Amino acid sequence: MTPIADEDVPLANTNLGNDHGCCVLQFLLMLISVIVFAFYTDSRKKRQARIFELTQEIETENRKRGLGRRG
């Protein structure tokens, strides 16, 4: 058996005071990136819906005027 105070034993360091500062920073960075990604995705979906609506309006207006696609 190895004494728990031995520094070579994994997870033997129970001094958790300053060792987890970077872990909190990484967690906050991941949280911020998820929030930014959610806003970006929502923005893209709204933009795509608006483009679809405008395309439908253009097609409706072309049908009213008797303009068709030529090709």
Side-chain angles (χ1 to χ4, degrees):
M1 292 182 54
T2 305
I4 225 39
D6 189 8
E7 293 295 324
D8 293 336
V9 177
L11 302 175
N13 186 7
T14 58
N15 183 11
L16 301 177
N18 295 330
D19 291 344
H20 292 283
C22 62
C23 296
V24 172
L25 178 63
Q26 290 173 356
F27 173 75
L28 290 176
L29 288 173
M30 285 191 306
L31 182 63
I32 290 170
S33 66
V34 167
I35 291 171
V36 167
F37 182 71
F39 280 119
Y40 177 77
T41 303
D42 186 52
S43 172
R44 294 280 99 191
K45 285 184 177 183
K46 286 179 182 178
R47 182 181 169 113
Q48 186 178 13
R50 182 65 180 143
I51 289 172
F52 180 75
E53 290 172 6
L54 291 173
T55 303
Q56 294 297 323
E57 288 178 23
I58 289 171
E59 288 179 5
T60 303
E61 192 64 31
N62 284 342
R63 276 190 235 117
K64 284 182 186 176
R65 293 181 182 188
L67 301 174
R69 291 188 178 178
R70 297 178 186 167

